[in-house]
Amino acid sequence: MSASGRLLSLVYTSTASHPFRETALEQLLEECRRLNAERDVTGMLLHRSGRFIQVLEGEPEIVRALAERIRNDGRHHDMRVLIEESIDERRFPDWTMGYRAFRGDPGLAPAGYRDSFADLYADADRMTTMRALSELTLWFRVRTARSA
């Protein structure tokens, strides 16, 4: 934990520059998990149709430096930080990088369906972004618990 006792949570979205095959994602995750463990960074990564949403949490200086490194990584573009906030405790304390491919075709959804994943890409207000992130975090946790 940082000297002030506060951690930083940073949430961003980005678009893959080229399609990622599952094997390429697995290799990326293996590398990220190793580096994140060394840096004491936790979080989650969601991927769907070439779009990413990632939560990073840890020491503020480390998380900001990592976000800058990610921003300059040519494997993706259009990185947009959605949320950057101080937190007292980690939301993902046991995950050096939890990952799930977010599947489903929103075009097949029933009328009135709201896509939390898409809400994070829209120019939504902070409340909508926070609600969408909360819904996706719950979705992630439920699926992780089922596969354990």
Side-chain angles (χ1 to χ4, degrees):
M1 190 158 314
S2 66
S4 67
R6 304 283 289 186
L7 299 165
L8 181 70
S9 176
L10 185 141
V11 181
Y12 76 87
T13 64
S14 68
T15 303
S17 297
H18 304 286
F20 271 83
R21 292 188 174 149
E22 278 301 311
T23 54
L25 279 172
E26 289 170 7
Q27 289 172 349
L28 175 64
L29 283 167
E30 186 177 314
E31 176 187 346
C32 291
R33 285 179 173 142
R34 182 180 53 77
L35 293 172
N36 288 348
E38 291 171 8
R39 297 177 179 131
D40 197 25
V41 171
T42 56
M44 73 167 184
L45 174 67
L46 299 174
H47 175 262
R48 181 178 77 185
S49 304
R51 314 256 342 236
F52 294 96
I53 297 169
Q54 185 167 22
V55 178
L56 300 169
E57 53 190 21
E59 298 285 331
E61 304 79 25
I62 293 171
V63 169
R64 286 187 182 108
L66 180 56
E68 193 58 31
R69 181 176 172 190
I70 291 167
R71 181 181 303 282
N72 294 318
D73 187 323
R75 292 176 285 195
H76 63 118
H77 59 278
D78 297 331
M79 181 183 172
R80 192 174 112 204
V81 174
L82 302 173
I83 302 167
E84 185 176 328
E85 64 182 350
S86 291
I87 56 175
D88 291 319
E89 61 185 53
R90 297 171 189 266
R91 294 180 182 112
F92 306 98
D94 301 324
W95 299 338
T96 54
M97 190 47 57
Y99 166 74
R100 281 283 179 259
F102 192 85
R103 305 199 193 293
D105 182 353
L108 300 176
Y113 173 78
R114 189 179 55 73
D115 184 348
S116 295
F117 200 98
D119 279 353
L120 291 174
Y121 282 99
D123 288 327
D125 60 43
R126 184 171 171 80
M127 183 180 290
T128 300
T129 299
M130 293 298 287
R131 184 182 66 231
L133 181 60
S134 177
E135 290 168 1
L136 286 170
T137 300
L138 177 60
W139 175 90
F140 184 90
R141 288 177 185 275
V142 167
R143 274 142 193 85
T144 300
R146 285 184 191 162
S147 64

